[in-house]
Amino acid sequence: MPYGLDFTKPGATGMTLLLHVCCGPCLLYPALALRKNAIAFTGYFYNPNIHPYKEFKKRLEAARHVSTELGVTLIVDKDYGLKDFLRAVVFHEKQRCHYCYSIRLEKVASKALSRHFDSFSSTLLYSTYQNHALIINYAKRIAERRAVSFYYEDFRKGWQKGIDESLRRGIYRQSYCGCIYSEQERYDNILKKQLKKKRKDNV
Ligand code: SF4
């Protein structure tokens, strides 16, 4: 058993967790941190609206790669959801991340309930590029509505460690967040400067 721990059985804490997985590099640090805290978890890959479809496949492959190396069971949802995403965010593009977070968190909470996990969380909490406060807000509201708890840990503290590990293991690292808008924005220098400043203020 890699690392001598079965991630699928309750750990020393007795808690079982379903962890939403956005990609391989973002899974690395949370997986190692949860293991350190003896929290058993299963991964759940669910990432509609990653553009283009080939990129979606690459991220899925990287998530599988990391899961295999760490001995993490990974449930895969291949829903691509491009049309639903575009229909939901058109004319509200600046608010699109709300939709993106909420559908992922709703889905992982619902899957956790149907599979009898005690709690849910997300590797989105690892990225210093994401709106951390907004993710927590949605997750808490979802947990209040449903009989499943939200497990919170600030995985951002392992940001550099996760990067080093992914480079060391040769894991595919994406260069933009995921949707078609973010794919275009990575070339927008003015916006890049604004995001960099916002990111510094947030972390
Ligand atoms: S920028 Fe990232 S979080 Fe926001 S909608 Fe696009 S893929 Fe989702």
Side-chain angles (χ1 to χ4, degrees):
M1 184 77 56
Y3 297 102
L5 185 79
D6 185 346
F7 286 101
T8 62
K9 305 241 165 61
T13 59
M15 181 174 84
T16 56
L17 168 73
L18 187 64
L19 179 71
H20 164 251
V21 174
C22 60
C23 63
C26 289
L27 169 60
L28 275 164
Y29 177 76
L32 298 174
L34 291 169
R35 174 183 149 255
K36 201 169 161 204
N37 293 339
I39 294 169
F41 72 95
T42 293
Y44 177 51
F45 181 92
Y46 171 65
N47 295 290
N49 69 262
I50 300 299
H51 182 89
Y53 187 63
K54 267 191 177 171
E55 176 69 21
F56 171 81
K57 302 269 276 185
K58 272 189 187 171
R59 294 189 191 191
L60 171 55
E61 235 170 73
R64 282 194 163 124
H65 182 164
V66 172
S67 301
T68 306
E69 285 204 358
L70 298 187
V72 172
T73 300
L74 185 71
I75 301 169
V76 172
D77 191 329
K78 287 189 180 164
D79 180 14
Y80 189 48
L82 180 63
K83 282 184 199 156
D84 288 342
F85 172 71
L86 292 176
R87 284 171 187 162
V89 304
V90 75
F91 299 120
H92 311 281
E93 290 83 0
K94 285 197 173 149
Q95 273 80 45
R96 66 184 187 268
C97 302
H98 288 250
Y99 175 81
C100 202
Y101 297 149
S102 66
I103 56 164
R104 281 158 174 75
L105 294 167
E106 288 282 1
K107 199 75 185 265
V108 66
S110 142
K111 185 67 85 180
L113 268 173
S114 68
R115 299 270 186 124
H116 308 291
F117 286 89
D118 304 320
S119 52
F120 70 94
S121 193
S122 173
T123 56
L124 291 169
L125 294 166
Y126 163 76
S127 174
T128 59
Y129 286 96
Q130 301 295 350
N131 187 332
H132 201 79
L134 191 61
I135 296 166
I136 296 173
N137 202 322
Y138 270 118
K140 281 188 173 166
R141 276 160 48 190
I142 290 166
E144 272 167 23
R145 262 194 287 114
R146 297 163 174 257
V148 62
S149 44
F150 164 53
Y151 174 80
Y152 174 70
E153 192 172 330
D154 189 352
F155 295 125
R156 294 177 302 178
K157 59 182 183 267
W159 177 245
Q160 194 53 48
K161 193 174 176 187
I163 293 174
D164 296 345
E165 271 294 307
S166 62
L167 293 172
R168 189 175 71 78
R169 293 166 185 266
I171 309 293
Y172 168 67
R173 297 180 52 77
Q174 59 267 21
S175 48
Y176 58 100
C177 192
C179 63
I180 189 167
Y181 305 102
S182 64
E183 198 275 335
Q184 181 270 322
E185 284 170 356
R186 74 180 154 149
Y187 300 109
D188 184 330
N189 288 330
I190 295 168
L191 188 76
K192 267 198 307 206
K193 274 187 198 154
Q194 288 168 353
L195 289 175
K196 204 170 165 187
K197 190 186 171 308
K198 206 168 155 193
R199 192 167 156 243
K200 259 192 190 160
D201 299 342
N202 276 342
V203 179

Short mmCIF file of all heavy atoms in Angstrom, two decimals, residues 3 5 14 26 28 35 39 46 65 83 90-91 95 98 106-107 115 120 132 146 158-159 161 165 178 183 188 201:
data_model
loop_
_atom_site.label_atom_id
_atom_site.label_comp_id
_atom_site.label_asym_id
_atom_site.label_seq_id
_atom_site.Cartn_x
_atom_site.Cartn_y
_atom_site.Cartn_z
N TYR A 3 2.50 4.57 0.86
CA TYR A 3 2.49 5.36 2.10
C TYR A 3 1.91 4.60 3.28
O TYR A 3 1.66 5.16 4.33
CB TYR A 3 1.73 6.68 1.93
CG TYR A 3 2.36 7.59 0.93
CD1 TYR A 3 1.81 7.70 -0.34
CD2 TYR A 3 3.52 8.28 1.23
CE1 TYR A 3 2.41 8.51 -1.28
CE2 TYR A 3 4.11 9.09 0.29
CZ TYR A 3 3.57 9.20 -0.96
OH TYR A 3 4.15 10.00 -1.89
N LEU A 5 -1.03 3.54 3.94
CA LEU A 5 -2.34 3.95 4.44
C LEU A 5 -3.41 3.69 3.38
O LEU A 5 -3.25 4.05 2.23
CB LEU A 5 -2.33 5.44 4.78
CG LEU A 5 -3.61 5.96 5.41
CD1 LEU A 5 -3.66 5.58 6.89
CD2 LEU A 5 -3.73 7.45 5.26
N GLY A 14 -11.63 8.50 12.35
CA GLY A 14 -12.92 7.84 12.17
C GLY A 14 -13.77 8.52 11.12
O GLY A 14 -14.85 8.05 10.76
N CYS A 26 -3.18 19.80 -8.05
CA CYS A 26 -3.88 20.32 -6.86
C CYS A 26 -4.26 19.21 -5.88
O CYS A 26 -4.65 19.49 -4.75
CB CYS A 26 -5.12 21.10 -7.26
SG CYS A 26 -4.73 22.68 -8.02
N LEU A 28 -2.10 16.75 -5.01
CA LEU A 28 -0.91 16.27 -4.29
C LEU A 28 -0.82 16.73 -2.83
O LEU A 28 -0.77 15.91 -1.92
CB LEU A 28 0.35 16.70 -5.04
CG LEU A 28 0.77 15.76 -6.15
CD1 LEU A 28 1.76 16.44 -7.07
CD2 LEU A 28 1.36 14.48 -5.58
N ARG A 35 -3.51 12.71 4.78
CA ARG A 35 -2.86 11.49 5.27
C ARG A 35 -2.15 11.77 6.60
O ARG A 35 -2.24 10.99 7.55
CB ARG A 35 -1.87 11.00 4.22
CG ARG A 35 -1.05 9.83 4.69
CD ARG A 35 -0.05 9.44 3.64
NE ARG A 35 1.12 8.90 4.30
CZ ARG A 35 2.26 9.55 4.42
NH1 ARG A 35 2.40 10.74 3.90
NH2 ARG A 35 3.26 9.00 5.04
N ILE A 39 -6.83 11.27 8.06
CA ILE A 39 -8.21 11.37 7.57
C ILE A 39 -8.30 10.55 6.29
O ILE A 39 -7.58 10.81 5.31
CB ILE A 39 -8.60 12.84 7.29
CG1 ILE A 39 -8.61 13.61 8.61
CG2 ILE A 39 -9.95 12.94 6.59
CD1 ILE A 39 -8.70 15.10 8.47
N TYR A 46 -14.63 15.82 -10.83
CA TYR A 46 -15.82 16.36 -11.50
C TYR A 46 -15.50 17.78 -11.93
O TYR A 46 -15.39 18.67 -11.09
CB TYR A 46 -17.02 16.34 -10.54
CG TYR A 46 -18.22 17.07 -11.09
CD1 TYR A 46 -18.90 16.60 -12.22
CD2 TYR A 46 -18.68 18.24 -10.50
CE1 TYR A 46 -19.98 17.29 -12.73
CE2 TYR A 46 -19.76 18.93 -11.00
CZ TYR A 46 -20.41 18.45 -12.12
OH TYR A 46 -21.49 19.14 -12.64
N HIS A 65 -3.16 9.83 -12.66
CA HIS A 65 -1.73 9.58 -12.44
C HIS A 65 -1.39 9.76 -10.95
O HIS A 65 -0.80 8.87 -10.31
CB HIS A 65 -0.96 10.58 -13.32
CG HIS A 65 0.53 10.45 -13.25
ND1 HIS A 65 1.35 11.02 -14.18
CD2 HIS A 65 1.36 9.86 -12.37
CE1 HIS A 65 2.61 10.77 -13.88
NE2 HIS A 65 2.64 10.07 -12.77
N LYS A 83 -22.21 23.10 -22.57
CA LYS A 83 -23.38 23.91 -22.96
C LYS A 83 -24.05 24.51 -21.73
O LYS A 83 -24.41 25.69 -21.72
CB LYS A 83 -24.40 23.02 -23.69
CG LYS A 83 -24.03 22.74 -25.12
CD LYS A 83 -25.11 21.94 -25.80
CE LYS A 83 -24.56 21.28 -27.03
NZ LYS A 83 -25.31 20.09 -27.42
N VAL A 90 -23.41 33.25 -19.71
CA VAL A 90 -23.41 34.28 -20.75
C VAL A 90 -24.14 35.54 -20.25
O VAL A 90 -25.15 35.44 -19.55
CB VAL A 90 -24.00 33.72 -22.07
CG1 VAL A 90 -25.52 33.57 -22.02
CG2 VAL A 90 -23.58 34.57 -23.26
N PHE A 91 -23.55 36.68 -20.50
CA PHE A 91 -23.97 38.01 -20.00
C PHE A 91 -23.60 38.22 -18.52
O PHE A 91 -23.85 39.28 -17.98
CB PHE A 91 -25.47 38.29 -20.20
CG PHE A 91 -25.90 38.27 -21.64
CD1 PHE A 91 -26.86 37.38 -22.10
CD2 PHE A 91 -25.32 39.14 -22.57
CE1 PHE A 91 -27.24 37.35 -23.43
CE2 PHE A 91 -25.70 39.12 -23.91
CZ PHE A 91 -26.65 38.22 -24.34
N GLN A 95 -19.16 36.97 -13.18
CA GLN A 95 -19.60 36.18 -12.00
C GLN A 95 -19.50 34.67 -12.25
O GLN A 95 -20.03 33.88 -11.48
CB GLN A 95 -21.06 36.50 -11.65
CG GLN A 95 -21.26 37.69 -10.73
CD GLN A 95 -21.18 38.98 -11.50
OE1 GLN A 95 -21.77 39.09 -12.56
NE2 GLN A 95 -20.41 39.92 -11.01
N HIS A 98 -18.76 31.88 -9.60
CA HIS A 98 -19.80 31.49 -8.64
C HIS A 98 -20.46 30.20 -9.12
O HIS A 98 -20.65 29.25 -8.37
CB HIS A 98 -20.88 32.58 -8.52
CG HIS A 98 -20.41 33.80 -7.81
ND1 HIS A 98 -20.85 34.13 -6.56
CD2 HIS A 98 -19.53 34.76 -8.16
CE1 HIS A 98 -20.27 35.26 -6.18
NE2 HIS A 98 -19.46 35.65 -7.13
N GLU A 106 -21.88 21.46 -5.00
CA GLU A 106 -23.19 20.79 -4.88
C GLU A 106 -23.05 19.31 -5.25
O GLU A 106 -23.59 18.44 -4.59
CB GLU A 106 -24.24 21.42 -5.82
CG GLU A 106 -24.73 22.78 -5.43
CD GLU A 106 -25.76 22.78 -4.29
OE1 GLU A 106 -26.09 21.69 -3.78
OE2 GLU A 106 -26.18 23.88 -3.90
N LYS A 107 -22.30 19.08 -6.31
CA LYS A 107 -22.16 17.71 -6.82
C LYS A 107 -21.39 16.83 -5.84
O LYS A 107 -21.78 15.69 -5.59
CB LYS A 107 -21.47 17.76 -8.18
CG LYS A 107 -21.63 16.54 -9.04
CD LYS A 107 -22.99 16.44 -9.67
CE LYS A 107 -23.21 15.17 -10.43
NZ LYS A 107 -22.95 15.23 -11.83
N ARG A 115 -23.14 8.24 -1.16
CA ARG A 115 -22.16 7.17 -0.90
C ARG A 115 -21.84 7.04 0.60
O ARG A 115 -20.88 6.38 0.97
CB ARG A 115 -20.87 7.46 -1.67
CG ARG A 115 -21.03 7.52 -3.17
CD ARG A 115 -20.84 6.14 -3.78
NE ARG A 115 -20.84 6.21 -5.23
CZ ARG A 115 -19.86 5.77 -6.00
NH1 ARG A 115 -18.78 5.25 -5.46
NH2 ARG A 115 -19.97 5.82 -7.31
N PHE A 120 -17.45 16.36 3.01
CA PHE A 120 -16.90 16.65 1.67
C PHE A 120 -15.93 17.83 1.77
O PHE A 120 -15.97 18.61 2.72
CB PHE A 120 -18.02 16.95 0.66
CG PHE A 120 -18.71 18.27 0.91
CD1 PHE A 120 -18.30 19.42 0.25
CD2 PHE A 120 -19.76 18.37 1.80
CE1 PHE A 120 -18.92 20.65 0.47
CE2 PHE A 120 -20.39 19.59 2.04
CZ PHE A 120 -19.98 20.73 1.38
N HIS A 132 -10.80 31.82 -2.44
CA HIS A 132 -10.88 30.92 -1.29
C HIS A 132 -12.14 31.19 -0.44
O HIS A 132 -12.86 30.27 -0.07
CB HIS A 132 -9.61 31.12 -0.45
CG HIS A 132 -9.27 29.99 0.45
ND1 HIS A 132 -8.65 28.84 0.03
CD2 HIS A 132 -9.45 29.83 1.78
CE1 HIS A 132 -8.46 28.04 1.05
NE2 HIS A 132 -8.95 28.62 2.14
N ARG A 146 -27.75 20.38 3.76
CA ARG A 146 -27.74 18.93 3.58
C ARG A 146 -27.14 18.25 4.82
O ARG A 146 -26.41 18.86 5.58
CB ARG A 146 -26.91 18.54 2.35
CG ARG A 146 -27.49 19.08 1.07
CD ARG A 146 -26.43 19.03 0.00
NE ARG A 146 -26.96 19.39 -1.30
CZ ARG A 146 -27.23 18.51 -2.25
NH1 ARG A 146 -27.07 17.24 -2.06
NH2 ARG A 146 -27.68 18.92 -3.41
N GLY A 158 0.39 24.67 1.71
CA GLY A 158 1.32 23.74 1.05
C GLY A 158 1.51 24.04 -0.42
O GLY A 158 1.91 23.17 -1.19
N TRP A 159 1.21 25.29 -0.81
CA TRP A 159 1.27 25.67 -2.23
C TRP A 159 2.60 25.30 -2.88
O TRP A 159 2.65 24.58 -3.88
CB TRP A 159 1.00 27.17 -2.34
CG TRP A 159 1.08 27.74 -3.72
CD1 TRP A 159 1.99 28.65 -4.18
CD2 TRP A 159 0.21 27.47 -4.83
NE1 TRP A 159 1.74 28.96 -5.50
CE2 TRP A 159 0.67 28.25 -5.93
CE3 TRP A 159 -0.89 26.64 -5.03
CZ2 TRP A 159 0.05 28.22 -7.19
CZ3 TRP A 159 -1.50 26.61 -6.29
CH2 TRP A 159 -1.04 27.38 -7.33
N LYS A 161 5.01 23.36 -1.74
CA LYS A 161 5.31 21.93 -1.60
C LYS A 161 4.60 21.12 -2.70
O LYS A 161 5.17 20.21 -3.29
CB LYS A 161 4.85 21.46 -0.21
CG LYS A 161 5.38 20.10 0.14
CD LYS A 161 5.06 19.69 1.54
CE LYS A 161 5.57 18.26 1.71
NZ LYS A 161 5.19 17.67 2.96
N GLU A 165 6.41 18.90 -5.59
CA GLU A 165 6.07 17.47 -5.73
C GLU A 165 5.61 17.15 -7.16
O GLU A 165 5.99 16.13 -7.72
CB GLU A 165 4.92 17.10 -4.78
CG GLU A 165 5.35 16.65 -3.41
CD GLU A 165 6.12 15.34 -3.41
OE1 GLU A 165 5.63 14.34 -3.96
OE2 GLU A 165 7.23 15.31 -2.87
N GLY A 178 -9.23 27.09 -16.48
CA GLY A 178 -9.96 25.98 -17.09
C GLY A 178 -10.99 26.35 -18.14
O GLY A 178 -11.01 25.77 -19.21
N GLU A 183 -8.92 30.74 -20.50
CA GLU A 183 -7.93 30.35 -21.51
C GLU A 183 -7.50 31.59 -22.30
O GLU A 183 -6.32 31.79 -22.59
CB GLU A 183 -8.52 29.28 -22.43
CG GLU A 183 -7.49 28.49 -23.22
CD GLU A 183 -7.08 29.17 -24.49
OE1 GLU A 183 -7.86 29.99 -25.03
OE2 GLU A 183 -5.96 28.91 -24.96
N ASP A 188 -3.93 38.17 -21.57
CA ASP A 188 -4.29 39.57 -21.37
C ASP A 188 -3.40 40.16 -20.27
O ASP A 188 -3.59 39.90 -19.08
CB ASP A 188 -5.78 39.63 -20.97
CG ASP A 188 -6.27 41.06 -20.83
OD1 ASP A 188 -5.46 41.94 -20.48
OD2 ASP A 188 -7.46 41.29 -21.06
N ASP A 201 -3.29 40.16 -2.27
CA ASP A 201 -4.13 40.67 -1.18
C ASP A 201 -4.91 39.54 -0.51
O ASP A 201 -5.21 39.58 0.67
CB ASP A 201 -5.11 41.72 -1.69
CG ASP A 201 -4.39 42.92 -2.28
OD1 ASP A 201 -3.19 43.09 -1.99
OD2 ASP A 201 -5.01 43.68 -3.03
#
